[in-house]
């Protein structure tokens, strides 16, 4: 028996029909993938933590005037969001060289970039999300020039805000990925921030030890993924001291009972 209609299942999340037109329910799974889903696994409790971390960041971004799809968190793994038409572009913001930038251009991981870089990737799993230029976006009509201006402006503001937010808790924001969507109001489309912001799509390094507190622990087989995500949530003040394990235990207990 199905409780509600599934709209889409992605690698880390499932989207269900929402309670009202124009809304969806975003469910966070524990599944983790890397290298265009060639590597698969699960990180126990990840969905619960990402739901909470993303809620926190989207809410704060809302207070500085960044429009987002987030409406409210419903429970440990689900949030109510506005339905958007996803723009098929992954926006990557980089402050420090790492990952594919280091590989592609031979720049040592950890090198502070003299200025922030914004990159665009075409969202297409079959093609392995290729790096693209503005020219491709304009040529193939994936977004208008006006939309791209709004996207770049928002990406810079999100980066400035998040750099400060993470610096305050001893974390260096190395890079991260954003996704945007369109909502239609009468005949006008507006671009808002969509998807999620969590350690799945950010590189977060401890400022003193350089320890990785993000999905690179999974990508690079470093272990301790769940603990790293928990540490990010704890430093953000989302898990009161001592309660981190309790929250996850409760979630696993519920999962076993099939609720
Ligand atoms: N990223 C992501 N999804 C993707 C590709 C990248 O969330 O499909 C994030 C990634 O977690 C990192 C940033 O974007 O924080 C830059 O990733 P990079 O291009 O270095 O690729 P990766 O090494 O993640 O394959």
């Amino acid at each position: 028996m199905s409780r509600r209609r599934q709209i889409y299942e992605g690698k880390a999340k499932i989207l269900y029909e929402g309670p009202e037109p124009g809304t969806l329910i975003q469910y966070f799974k524990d599944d983790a993938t890397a290298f265009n889903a060639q590597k698969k696994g699960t990180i126990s409790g990840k969905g619960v933590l990402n739901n909470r971390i993303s809620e926190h960041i989207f809410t704060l971004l809302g207070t500085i005037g960044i429009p987002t799809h987030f409406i409210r968190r419903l429970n440990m793994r689900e949030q109510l969001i506005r339905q958007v038409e996803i723009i098929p572009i992954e926006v990557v913001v980089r402050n420090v060289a790492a990952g594919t930038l280091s590989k592609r251009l031979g720049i040592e991981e950890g090198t502070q970039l003299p200025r922030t870089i914004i990159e665009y990737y075409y969202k297409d799993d079959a093609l392995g999300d290729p790096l693209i230029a503005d020219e491709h976006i304009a040529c193939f009509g994936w977004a208008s020039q006006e939309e791209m201006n709004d996207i770049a402006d928002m990406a810079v503001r999100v980066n400035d805000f998040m750099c400060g937010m993470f610096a305050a808790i001893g974390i260096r924001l190395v890079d991260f990925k954003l996704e945007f969507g369109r909502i239609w109001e009468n005949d006008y489309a507006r671009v808002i921030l969509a998807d999620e912001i969590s350690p799945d799509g950010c590189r977060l390094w401890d400022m003193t030890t350089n320890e990785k507190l993000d999905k690179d622990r999974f990508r690079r087989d470093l272990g301790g993924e769940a603990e790293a995500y928990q540490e990010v949530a704890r430093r953000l003040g989302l898990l009161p001291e001592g309660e981190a394990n309790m929250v996850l235990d409760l979630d696993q207990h519920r999962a076993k009972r099939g609720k």
Side-chain angles (χ1 to χ4, degrees):
M1 192 181 72
S2 160
R3 207 151 48 101
R4 55 200 168 180
R5 201 154 68 89
Q6 185 176 310
I7 305 287
Y8 173 79
E9 176 155 13
K11 286 172 277 200
K13 295 189 291 294
I14 304 175
L15 295 177
Y16 296 101
E17 199 170 54
E20 291 159 37
T23 66
L24 294 176
I25 292 169
Q26 179 163 255
Y27 175 97
F28 289 76
K29 302 193 277 186
D30 284 347
D31 296 350
T33 60
F35 313 118
N36 201 25
Q38 287 170 47
K39 177 176 171 141
K40 289 190 177 123
T42 59
I43 302 173
S44 183
K46 172 172 83 78
V48 177
L49 292 163
N50 282 357
N51 185 21
R52 191 73 187 82
I53 293 169
S54 199
E55 170 198 17
H56 180 72
I57 299 176
F58 274 51
T59 302
L60 289 176
L61 290 173
T63 68
I64 64 154
I66 304 283
T68 82
H69 73 163
F70 179 80
I71 301 172
R72 66 173 180 276
R73 189 164 61 88
L74 297 172
N75 55 51
M76 289 175 80
R77 285 183 182 271
E78 293 176 332
Q79 47 182 243
L80 185 66
I81 58 169
R82 296 186 69 169
Q83 183 162 26
V84 300
E85 196 177 285
I86 281 286
I87 294 171
I89 298 168
E90 299 198 341
V91 179
V92 169
V93 182
R94 301 180 184 273
N95 301 302
V96 176
T100 56
L101 176 89
S102 292
K103 247 182 251 141
R104 191 178 298 120
L105 303 178
I107 297 165
E108 196 187 344
E109 279 219 322
T111 309
Q112 181 75 41
L113 299 171
R115 48 173 285 174
T116 298
I117 295 176
I118 303 184
E119 293 174 343
Y120 303 111
Y121 293 82
Y122 181 48
K123 226 172 115 62
D124 187 314
D125 285 340
L127 298 175
D129 297 344
L131 178 66
I132 51 173
D134 286 292
E135 302 287 303
H136 300 104
I137 298 170
C139 178
F140 301 113
W142 294 320
S144 70
Q145 191 52 56
E146 203 184 348
E147 287 172 333
M148 288 315 294
N149 292 343
D150 289 348
I151 286 173
D153 288 350
M154 283 192 267
V156 169
R157 291 195 67 206
V158 170
N159 183 50
D160 286 346
F161 179 83
M162 292 220 298
C163 277
M165 180 189 75
F166 281 118
I169 53 170
I171 292 175
R172 195 170 177 204
L173 179 61
V174 171
D175 57 30
F176 61 96
K177 186 252 314 182
L178 298 175
E179 289 187 31
F180 293 86
R182 254 179 226 116
I183 48 169
W184 291 90
E185 280 159 0
N186 301 317
D187 282 345
Y188 291 94
R190 195 157 70 95
V191 175
I192 67 175
L193 185 63
D195 194 46
E196 70 179 295
I197 299 181
S198 72
D200 265 6
C202 301
R203 284 198 170 88
L204 304 169
W205 295 357
D206 182 278
M207 271 184 169
T208 44
T209 64
N210 274 333
E211 190 190 358
K212 296 183 198 312
L213 300 172
D214 56 58
K215 205 166 89 175
D216 268 350
R217 302 207 72 83
F218 170 77
R219 290 190 191 96
R220 302 178 188 193
D221 292 319
L222 300 174
E225 296 92 336
E227 292 75 8
Y229 283 53
Q230 256 182 48
E231 177 62 12
V232 174
R234 190 190 64 77
R235 290 195 200 180
L236 286 170
L238 306 178
L239 300 177
E241 305 290 333
E243 272 185 34
N245 291 323
M246 207 177 77
V247 170
L248 294 176
D249 286 350
L250 175 67
D251 176 61
Q252 273 149 26
H253 178 68
R254 280 189 185 151
K256 273 190 206 124
R257 285 164 52 214
K259 299 213 165 162

